[in-house]
């Protein structure tokens, strides 16, 4: 018996594409696009200004996101909505990755 999902994992980040998108296909034929999104902003914390700087890897998988990723380029401003997940590289180091569910270009 599975437990109901009591927690939410939704994340929205806007910024600029800072590494050239890489396209691949899984053995099952699922298209993937990976790129890095860079975000810079001023946030308020404890009533004080704080610079926020984030670089986050993004993975966009599936045919429905192919149209949203095929024309991405370095320097392009976008907003990504999705969920966060932990990935482990070949060296055993883990990193947080944003799995895109929707990508929108920002004019």
């Amino acid at each position: 018996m599975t437990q109901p999902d009591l927690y939410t994992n939704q994340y929205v980040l806007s910024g600029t594409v800072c590494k050239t998108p890489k396209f691949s296909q899984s053995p099952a034929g699922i298209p993937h696009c990976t790129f890095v999104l860079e975000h810079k902003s001023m946030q308020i914390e404890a009533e004080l200004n704080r610079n926020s700087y984030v670089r986050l890897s993004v993975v966009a998988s599936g045919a429905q996101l192919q149209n949203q990723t095929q024309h991405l380029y370095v320097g392009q401003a976008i907003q990504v909505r999705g969920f966060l997940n932990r990935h482990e590289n070949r060296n055993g180091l883990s990193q947080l990755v944003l799995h895109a569910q929707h990508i929108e270009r920002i004019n």
Side-chain angles (χ1 to χ4, degrees):
M1 186 164 132
T2 61
Q3 293 289 330
D5 192 7
L6 301 176
Y7 304 105
T8 300
N9 182 352
Q10 289 287 308
Y11 193 73
V12 177
L13 185 67
S14 60
T16 57
V17 177
C18 68
K19 288 195 178 179
T20 303
K22 294 182 179 166
F23 298 90
S24 63
Q25 193 167 19
S26 75
I30 298 170
H32 300 287
C33 175
T34 58
F35 59 94
V36 177
L37 188 64
E38 181 178 68
H39 168 91
K40 294 178 185 178
S41 65
M42 181 68 69
Q43 301 294 318
I44 304 294
E45 182 178 42
E47 299 179 25
L48 298 171
N49 288 336
R50 179 182 182 134
N51 286 317
S52 175
Y53 176 72
V54 176
R55 271 191 171 192
L56 190 59
S57 293
V58 179
V59 175
S61 300
Q64 68 277 13
L65 289 177
Q66 240 181 340
N67 191 39
Q68 297 174 20
T69 60
Q70 67 188 97
H71 299 294
L72 290 179
Y73 56 87
V74 172
Q76 184 176 29
I78 60 173
Q79 181 181 70
V80 179
R81 185 177 67 236
F83 63 93
L84 296 174
N85 199 37
R86 179 183 167 274
H87 280 216
E88 196 170 291
N89 68 16
R90 293 178 185 150
N91 297 328
L93 298 173
S94 64
Q95 73 176 55
L96 209 51
V97 175
L98 175 56
H99 285 257
Q101 294 171 314
H102 180 75
I103 298 172
E104 185 176 325
R105 287 169 177 76
I106 300 172
N107 294 340

